Structure formats: structure tokens, C-alpha cells
Amino acid sequence: MDLETKVDLLANTPLFSSFSRRELYDVAKLFSERTYPKGTTIFREGEEGETFCVVVSGELEVWGGDDEPRLLNRLGPGEVLGEMALLSEGKRTATVKADRVTELLELDRVSFNRFLATNAKVLQYFSTLLARRLAAAHRGGVHRRPNTVVAVSALPGLKGKSLITEALGSFLREYANAEVLMVRTAPVSGSTASGGTLLSLADCERLPADHIRSAVRTEAGAPELTVVVGHEPLADVVRGFDALVAKLDATFPFVVIDLGTRPASLAECARQVGDISVEIVQHADPGEDPSARRSPRVYRVVNLVNPGSTAIPISHCEPFVIPEDAGLPSELGRAQIGYLRANPRSPASAPLRRLARKILGMSVGVAMGGGAAFGIGHVGVLKVFEDNDIPVDLVSGTSMGSIIAAGCACGISPREMLEIAARIGNKTTTLSALDFTLGRPGLLAGNRLVAIFAPMLGAIERFEDLRLPLQVVATDLETGERIAIGEGPIIRGCRASCSVPLIWVPVRRGDRVLVDGALVDPVPAEIVRQMGADLCIAVNAVPPVQKGVTNALTRMWRRVNTLNPLSYVGGSRDLPNTMDVFMNTIQILQHELGKFKAISADVTITPNLTEYTWIEFYKTEGLIERGAEAAEKAVPQIKRLLAERRAQAVAGADPSWMNENSVGGAPDK
């Protein structure tokens, strides 16, 4: 940058508005120019202050607090930083990071003290600036980023980049209720753009903002822009895209850039250009990549259409696995997007929708509690969610809740679940589940229970083939540990989760003996959080024990017991039978522990099922109806929380930071 350019930049900075042109020349000679890549920490809280800076281009984030970092401010072109540590000869009071590639003019301590620290007008400006910053911090007001940039890239040879870009554009527009600009890259040779003007990276830097906006064309209601990329060095590519985004300003809250794989600089610049980087890879282990927790937020996508890409258990929100989808049209464009929108439970649509909601910080996880027949109430909850357009992106379940959760993860709709429940919900089916066994640690073998509820899972057998992420909870009988199962055969995991001690035979899994997960975690809200949900909804289906409520087994036992002469000895005739003592004890413990386990959820739904008992699988209609009634009451709160997250995302807040610093809301009463 030449001296004249520096002078012009300083002249347009409010701090130097009182300086004469000669004074500006004197000061400008002392400033050095430096560029910081995205994600660089420029100042660190607590370190000695040695430089004063003026922002030329880019964007900085100011963070305070070590244990729970809090975004204090954002700084853009023309703003200054670092003055307080120099004036007070103290330490940095905050951490400053480059949120986009940032160019600074820097002045050392000696030059600062000579030219600025003794200037009355400069000191007055610093005083006013400090007052404004303190007032903004007190109000919690932070300058909001005008737009969020999503960069989509792929390793050379991997397919799916354009599909993901198109889908994100469509789903972000729908979920955020905001405009999304699609930016495509094209090589220099053969580049055409019907109805619009082609821009080069140099144009993005050189042309004014109104010219950039005039190059945007609208096709089928979606704004698009094509940028021609040659063989520019990586730094020039990043600078060009940054200039483009800055000039678009708040015109488009979201900008999705489809980065090509040629030249190599395009794929390499993804993390420097995007606030969010979506990267197609061949393999990724289940769970979030800890290295991607800061800006830019990185989301990995495994497209199983690509040869060499490996299937993994679908047990976490991340990574996003796109399986082969026979119904997906082969031609890219409107046909594919139309299919994805019309078939939300299709293999390809479900993960792409989850990715869009995760970008917005709006992914929804549901923790389904246990409770034998009580768990059927979850079907009513899911039906209400579907009717009210409340998404379900991932699920976890305990005991009977594991079966309903597995059905949801397999892509079975609530309406299909209602039909299945109506078909199997009768006394004959309930009695057929009683496969008594001798010589094993349980009254019932549990095989018939599995067979009865197998239709809830459809044709999917393993976690690798699921539509939504799923984990089911069991208890290690020998250690008391909570075991979250997220791989292997689904039905076997559900069988372990449902194994009520003494009633159903335990399940051996490796070197563990597993029983009902409700013993340690009746409502697995914490598991849903660990899986990566932004918003956690917990359903505690087990009601408190109600005096006078009995089931068919209890009544039958009482009638039989009248013929037992020993029942008249010792006053035992009026006491509950052994089975009631055991099951009521379990119910009391699960209800109370479930309330505690649901505390970390944002919303807790508690159906009123006190008039039912654990064995009444044949009363499905009433159980489902009660679940629906409780869910209806929770709908306004859920929609409000989603709307708040949507507003944060559209306003430019970083959802990853918001999630890390959030604590679960109080449960509904």
C-alpha cells in the first residue's frame, strides 16, 4: 500500500478527522500494513499491549472471559483497537480474533505515544469511544454481522457439491425466512451467465457495490451470481470473495458459495472465505470434529455415491451422511430440489435438511423416556410435531421410548406409527408377548416383544442405514453404567434398552450384560445434547403412581388369591402382590428420576397418563391421545424457542458459540 493510499484511508477514519493533510502524511509514514488470515488471534486477553491498529478491511470479533467466552463487539473498516492498553500502559482487556481475512494498519507504542497520546482531540475521541463501548456492553448490544457466508467445497473427484449447495440455498431460505444468494464459480474459458453479468475476482474488488448487485440474476425466484476464477494465488482468491461479501453487505443475510475444485486455490480457500465451511469428505467418524468448534465452523459431509466413501453408524448429528437415494432425479437443478422438498423423509433429504438447520442453530433432538406401555404416548407427541411443522432431526430413547425413537429414525411417519399401534394394540397381542422362560434370569424371554414391535422399524436393520441419528440407552447390570448404543443391529439395541430386570431376560452385548436403560436414565436428554442437538425436547412418559389404578394382572391375581388359604394368614390378603410391589417401585423411581434427567432439556413434555398402567399396551388410542394433548400445550414454547434461534442466525450470531454457552431451559409445569 503506497503512502497516498494510507493517507486517504486515515482521512476517512473518524479518529483522524481533525488532522490536517500534512499531519496525516507524518502519521501515515509510521503505520505498517499487515494482513491476518481468518481465525487468527490478533490480541489475547491479559497480554501486554504493544500496538494500536486501524481496520482497513475485513472483520474482527472482540471476546471477553476465559471460562465462558462472550462476544463483546465486532469491528469493521475504519474502526480502531488496542488504544486502551497503550494509554493505561496495561494489559489487553479482551481477545480479538479475525472473523474474516482482515487488513490492519498498525502503529507501535513509541509512535502512538508521540503522535496520538498527547493530542487533546484524539484523547477526547478515545474517551467518547470508550463510553460508547461500555454502554453497548451494558446493554448487551453487539454490532451484528450483516451476512453469513457458507462455503461448500469438495476434495477433487468427489461428487455432491452442487447438490448440497442447491439444497442449502433452498432449505436456508425456507427455515430462516430470509433471502439467500447463490454464488457459483466458473473457469475463465467458456463462462456464460444468461440474464446477468459475469464478474471476475478483480471486479469484486474494483467495482462499486451497486454494480456488484446489478450483476445478480434471479432464476425461479432465487438470486444467483457467477464469479469467474482463473489461476489467481490463494490470497487473491480470498481477498476477492471477501470484497464481494463486504459489498453485498446486508442485501442478503446468507451467501452460499459453490466453490469449484479447479484451480486448487478454490478448494483451499473454503475455510478462509466462509463463516461456515461445508466440506465433502470420504470418511468421518461419528460425532463432531473438535477441531471445527470455532470460526469457521466446519461441517463434514460423506456422500455415499462417491466410490470409496464409507458408511458409518448414524448416531450423531454430525457428520452428515447422504446415502444413495433411488428416487433422486439424476439431473441437477429444479427436479432434484423439488424431490428433496416433497420427500422430507427420503434418504437424501433428511441429512440435508438437518445440515441446514444445524447451520442456523435450529436442529431439534427429542429424548423419549421409558415406561413400557406408557411409552406409546410418544406417538401422539410425534404426530403433533408433524402437524405443527416442528422438525425432528435426531432422537434418543430409553426402554419403550427406544422403540418409538428407532421407528422415527428409520423414517416411519407418525401416521404409519398410529396405524401400527392400532393394529397391535389389543389384549391378544399383549398376551402373546408373555413368552415365559425357565432357567434364565427373567420371567419372559423378550423375543415375542421384539417381534411385535419390529414393524415400527420398517425394513431398516442397522444403524448405518438410518434416516435420522439415533442412540438408545441401556444399563450395564454389573457396573451400573449408562450405555448409549449407536451401532450394530437396531432391534438388539432396543431389546437391551427394554429389558426390565426380573421381567425380561438381560441382553449380552460384548462383555456387558445389559438391562433396561430407565434404571439410570429414564429420559435421555443429556444423550440428545451429546449427539449434537441445538434444541432438546424431553418427553417424560412415566406418570406418578395413582392410588386405586389397577391392571388386568392385578385384578386376576386378587381373584385367584381369594382361593389361597395362606393369603388369610398374617394379614397379607389386603397387601399388593409381588409383581405390583416391584412394578410400582420401578414406576415411582422412573418418574422422579425422569424429572431430574429432563432438567437439561429446553422443553419437557409430561403426558398425563396416571389412569393407565405399564402393561396396558392394548389401550393405545388413549395413551396416544394423552401424549398429543401434552405436546399441543408445548407447541407455542417450542415455536418461540425456534423463532429466537432463527432471529439470532439471521442477525449474524454464531450458533456454535450460542450453543456452547447455553444452559437448558426450565421444564414445563
Side-chain angles (χ1 to χ4, degrees), residues 223-349:
E224 298 181 0
L225 183 65
T226 300
V227 176
V228 177
V229 181
H231 293 279
E232 294 90 347
L234 176 61
D236 291 348
V237 174
V238 173
R239 190 168 58 249
F241 279 119
D242 275 353
L244 170 66
V245 171
K247 289 175 181 178
L248 289 171
D249 195 35
T251 308
F252 302 98
F254 293 92
V255 179
V256 181
I257 304 177
D258 182 355
L259 294 170
T261 56
R262 293 287 184 272
S265 56
L266 273 177
E268 293 170 3
C269 79
R271 297 194 184 191
Q272 296 188 51
V273 167
D275 302 307
I276 294 165
S277 180
V278 177
E279 302 172 0
I280 300 178
V281 297
Q282 285 187 295
H283 177 76
D285 294 325
E288 182 189 47
D289 181 0
S291 67
R293 293 180 67 84
R294 292 295 185 268
S295 181
R297 193 72 169 84
V298 178
Y299 296 112
R300 301 158 298 159
V301 178
V302 179
N303 184 9
L304 296 182
V305 171
N306 291 312
S309 294
T310 53
I312 61 172
I314 311 300
S315 56
H316 291 76
C317 186
E318 304 174 48
F320 302 85
V321 180
I322 305 176
E324 294 194 50
D325 190 335
L328 185 68
S330 57
E331 56 280 357
L332 182 66
R334 296 182 189 176
Q336 286 189 337
I337 299 305
Y339 170 82
L340 295 174
R341 294 183 65 84
N343 299 276
R345 289 189 175 82
S346 67
S349 184

Side-chain angles (χ1 to χ4, degrees), residues 314 345 365-370 375-379 382 392-413 417 453 456-458 460 463 466-473 485 490 494 497-498 524 527-528 531 537 539:
I314 311 300
R345 289 189 175 82
V366 181
M368 302 186 191
I376 295 176
H378 292 102
V379 176
L382 294 175
V392 176
D393 293 299
L394 53 92
V395 286
S396 179
T398 295
S399 196
M400 185 62 193
S402 72
I403 294 176
I404 306 301
C408 181
C410 288
I412 305 297
S413 71
M417 289 186 186
F453 288 100
M456 285 283 188
L457 308 184
I460 292 178
F463 279 84
L466 288 171
R467 299 287 186 270
L468 303 180
L470 166 72
Q471 290 188 27
V472 299
V473 178
I485 302 173
I490 301 168
C494 293
S497 184
C498 292
I527 296 293
V528 165
M531 291 171 67
I537 302 172
V539 185

Side-chain angles (χ1 to χ4, degrees), residues 354-540:
R354 187 171 78 253
L355 173 58
R357 283 192 283 262
K358 188 63 181 175
I359 287 172
L360 296 172
M362 294 172 61
S363 63
V364 177
V366 181
M368 302 186 191
F374 299 127
I376 295 176
H378 292 102
V379 176
V381 173
L382 294 175
K383 178 63 170 60
V384 169
F385 286 178
E386 181 180 62
D387 292 344
N388 288 273
D389 295 323
I390 294 173
V392 176
D393 293 299
L394 53 92
V395 286
S396 179
T398 295
S399 196
M400 185 62 193
S402 72
I403 294 176
I404 306 301
C408 181
C410 288
I412 305 297
S413 71
R415 293 185 183 278
E416 291 173 299
M417 289 186 186
L418 287 170
E419 295 172 0
I420 295 169
R423 190 166 64 249
I424 64 178
N426 54 69
K427 291 184 178 180
T428 301
T429 303
T430 301
L431 291 174
S432 71
L434 305 179
D435 50 352
F436 293 97
T437 181
L438 297 174
R440 302 176 70 186
L443 293 175
L444 306 175
N447 297 325
R448 292 183 185 172
L449 177 73
V450 169
I452 289 171
F453 288 100
M456 285 283 188
L457 308 184
I460 292 178
E461 298 181 354
R462 299 185 63 83
F463 279 84
E464 289 84 351
D465 301 318
L466 288 171
R467 299 287 186 270
L468 303 180
L470 166 72
Q471 290 188 27
V472 299
V473 178
T475 302
D476 187 321
L477 185 61
E478 297 175 318
T479 67
E481 293 177 79
R482 178 183 67 187
I483 305 299
I485 302 173
E487 60 182 11
I490 301 168
I491 198 69
R492 188 160 179 80
C494 293
R495 170 69 179 81
S497 184
C498 292
S499 295
V500 179
L502 300 181
I503 306 298
W504 279 282
V505 174
V507 173
R508 179 169 288 282
R509 191 171 187 267
D511 60 350
R512 297 183 182 272
V513 177
L514 303 180
V515 294
D516 195 338
L519 295 180
V520 291
D521 198 352
V523 183
E526 186 180 28
I527 296 293
V528 165
R529 290 283 192 201
Q530 292 173 1
M531 291 171 67
D534 298 309
L535 185 71
C536 175
I537 302 172
V539 185
N540 186 7

